[in-house]
Amino acid sequence: MYNPKFNYHELSRTSEEGKRLYLTPDGRKVPSVTTILDKTKPEEKKAALEQWRRNVGHAKAQQITTEAANRGTRMHAYLEHYVKTGEVKERGSNPMSWASHAMAQTVIDDGLVNVNEFWGVEIPLYFPQLYAGTTDGCGIHMNDESILDYKQTNKPKKQEWIEDYYLQLVAYALAHNEVYGTNIRKGVVLMCVKPDVDPATMEPKHRPVYQEFTLESKDFDYWADQWWRRLEQYYLQA
């Protein structure tokens, strides 16, 4: 399943004025995909996020965000190990990792089973002079060249909530096509919902819920146009 067929360029990262930048092989510093999306976020989404922070309290909001990020990092690590070795890593003795392990197992059973071939994991990609980023995986999904991205979520998502995920997928696909001569027009978000856990034992109470969202080839041009618009907006306001 793991077949690293491309010689992906290593890209170093830095942060300047709250922006994540990548240093590309031509010596340029370009913004990350996530920075571009964050800096061009529609005002209504910014307002909704700030209202949520007020509702739960800023300290609690930061706690929730940090815990979600840590859970996602652990889930990604389990999935990366599986892709490279074909084996599921033991969950370990740290109870904080058990939910992440269960989530990774669910993504493997329900999502990665449909991946025919992986070309790499944590792949740094860049579009010369414009932007860069790191995608979780790239390869063949159900016989189609695809960008693959893992997501964890605290609650199930609706398709209308994940516009930025599609923009990420198309940005990575365009960069891969530009530099490596591929024709990727599909992206897949493999998402798992955090399970409830027993507070006494930290054991998950149930199997995590799996969700999958696919950017199909027929919709690629629409999302590519939306991405170019956001990129233009970023540079116009920079």
Side-chain angles (χ1 to χ4, degrees):
M1 184 171 68
Y2 189 60
N3 179 26
K5 63 187 293 185
F6 294 98
N7 183 25
Y8 291 115
H9 301 284
E10 292 294 328
L11 305 178
S12 61
R13 307 179 196 178
T14 186
S15 292
E16 297 180 5
E17 300 178 348
K19 299 176 182 179
R20 176 182 287 180
L21 304 176
Y22 283 80
L23 182 63
T24 57
D26 62 5
R28 292 175 180 266
K29 290 180 181 178
V30 296
S32 70
V33 171
T34 51
T35 290
I36 292 165
L37 292 175
D38 180 62
K39 299 301 183 182
T40 59
K41 190 186 299 290
E43 291 301 321
E44 61 270 21
K45 289 190 176 182
K46 292 180 184 178
L49 181 59
E50 182 56 33
Q51 186 61 52
W52 170 75
R53 288 181 176 138
R54 289 200 193 98
N55 291 343
V56 302
H58 284 274
K60 182 63 174 178
Q62 186 58 53
Q63 178 187 345
I64 292 171
T65 301
T66 300
E67 288 177 353
N70 290 339
R71 188 165 47 248
T73 297
R74 290 189 291 265
M75 185 185 82
H76 277 68
Y78 286 125
L79 292 171
E80 182 175 341
H81 182 271
Y82 171 77
V83 169
K84 287 184 172 181
T85 68
E87 299 177 354
V88 181
K89 189 176 182 179
E90 294 294 323
R91 71 178 187 174
S93 59
N94 180 4
M96 297 301 294
S97 71
W98 295 350
S100 300
H101 186 273
M103 294 165 71
Q105 185 66 66
T106 296
V107 172
I108 290 167
D109 292 341
D110 295 1
L112 296 190
V113 67
N114 293 318
V115 180
N116 312 97
E117 180 178 271
F118 269 94
W119 299 337
V121 295
E122 287 294 304
I123 302 167
L125 297 171
Y126 69 101
F127 198 105
Q129 304 182 37
L130 292 179
Y131 65 87
T134 303
T135 185
D136 295 325
C138 189
I140 308 297
H141 179 271
M142 298 184 72
N143 301 316
D144 296 318
E145 294 184 344
S146 304
I147 297 293
L148 306 167
D149 216 33
Y150 313 136
K151 302 290 186 186
Q152 82 86 41
T153 181
N154 291 343
K155 62 180 181 179
K157 290 279 196 292
K158 295 181 180 179
Q159 185 161 325
E160 55 265 32
W161 298 348
I162 64 163
E163 175 180 305
D164 279 6
Y165 294 168
Y166 286 149
L167 294 173
Q168 279 184 299
L169 292 172
V170 79
Y172 296 144
L174 290 166
H176 199 289
N177 294 342
E178 180 71 14
V179 175
Y180 298 103
T182 48
N183 187 33
I184 299 172
R185 292 178 57 83
K186 178 180 175 181
V188 185
V189 175
L190 302 97
M191 181 182 292
C192 199
V193 183
K194 177 195 73 165
D196 296 326
V197 299
D198 186 317
T201 65
M202 297 300 290
E203 290 283 355
K205 291 182 178 180
H206 54 83
R207 185 176 188 271
V209 173
Y210 177 74
Q211 290 186 283
E212 188 168 290
F213 299 94
T214 303
L215 168 63
E216 300 285 1
S217 177
K218 63 182 177 63
D219 299 318
F220 186 88
D221 291 337
Y222 169 80
W223 288 107
D225 181 65
Q226 297 303 305
W227 165 247
W228 292 127
R229 289 171 186 266
R230 291 283 284 271
L231 185 65
E232 181 181 34
Q233 180 186 344
Y234 173 84
Y235 277 108
L236 287 175
Q237 69 188 29

